[in-house]
Amino acid sequence: NAGVTQTPKFQVLKTGQSMTLQCAQDMNHNSMYWYRQDPGMGLRLIYYSASEGTTDKGEVPNGYNVSRLNKREFSLRLESAAPSQTSVYFCASSETGSIGYTFGSGTRLTVV
Amino acid sequence: KQEVTQIPAALSVPEGENLVLNCSFTDSAIYNLQWFRQDPGKGLTSLLLIQSSQREQTSGRLNASLDKSSGRSTLYIAASQPGDSATYLCAVFQGAQKLVFGQGTRLTINP
């Protein structure tokens, strides 16, 4: 099925460990996004990529880095995980204009 | 800064009722507006996308309206069913691409 695929679905990290969340889309969308969802805070934009080769900060970028590897893939890296980064992370993609967003199923990350 | 508010935060109604979920936003210079559904522990499923030039969109039992001048959108669900139980999220496009989300309305339909 066409859509946005995220891996892994679940992850537990110790404070200070690093990891990369992977995201791939097969809809040929130009734009990709990373959001985090926290209780009481809603979904907040971490980073986005308007097109291959470009990335920009969103609302809450501190502690994260991203790579737009190609048009299909957009990864999110935590260099030194902190308990405050415990959250559910969603990747999404869109085509500029009228089509709207398509979301992946999320990665539940716990930092202990 | 764009802020999106959804009222009520939670709603419980008996099966068969028609209901309205509300969404308001502070900056009327939005591009588009999108309604999503999220089931517990799951991702977001797109329900309806309203472009800035449109006033409403319909899909089955769902109808979403948009009034940019007043900064409001509503999602109308007709003849509610237990399967409609979920959290409904409203999001506005800030510029052409970035979505700003409300915190959602948790809807429970009682059989």
Side-chain angles (χ1 to χ4, degrees), chain A residues 2-4 25-33 49-52 68 70-73 92-96 99-103, chain B residues 97:
Chain A
V4 178
Q25 53 94 6
D26 58 5
M27 296 170 287
N28 204 37
H29 286 168
N30 281 319
S31 302
M32 298 185 73
Y33 313 82
S49 170
S51 61
E52 185 179 352
R68 184 74 182 268
N70 47 55
K71 192 171 185 179
R72 290 188 63 248
E73 299 173 287
S93 70
S94 76
E95 193 55 56
T96 305
I99 294 179
Y101 273 42
T102 300
F103 277 82
Chain B
Q97 294 172 330

Side-chain angles (χ1 to χ4, degrees), chain A residues 27-98:
Chain A
M27 296 170 287
N28 204 37
H29 286 168
N30 281 319
S31 302
M32 298 185 73
Y33 313 82
W34 278 104
Y35 282 83
R36 60 178 288 174
Q37 186 176 34
D38 303 289
M41 302 294 291
L43 281 117
R44 293 177 292 169
L45 182 64
I46 305 171
Y47 271 94
Y48 67 102
S49 170
S51 61
E52 185 179 352
T54 69
T55 61
D56 286 287
K57 295 178 180 179
E59 184 182 355
V60 287
N62 291 343
Y64 305 96
N65 286 301
V66 290
S67 296
R68 184 74 182 268
L69 304 171
N70 47 55
K71 192 171 185 179
R72 290 188 63 248
E73 299 173 287
F74 188 39
S75 63
L76 179 72
R77 183 162 178 83
L78 287 70
E79 292 289 353
S80 178
S84 61
Q85 294 178 305
T86 294
S87 187
V88 181
Y89 292 85
F90 288 101
C91 177
S93 70
S94 76
E95 193 55 56
T96 305
S98 63

Side-chain angles (χ1 to χ4, degrees), chain B residues 13 16 18 20-21 23 34-35 39 47 54 56 58-59 61 64 80 84 88 96 98-99 103 107 110:
Chain B
V13 302
N18 303 324
V20 175
L21 307 181
C23 172
Q34 194 165 3
W35 282 92
D39 294 287
L47 296 174
Q54 298 175 321
E56 65 179 325
T58 298
S59 176
R61 294 183 293 108
S80 59
D84 295 331
Y88 290 79
K98 290 187 286 183
L99 275 178
Q103 294 200 20
L107 176 65
N110 301 304

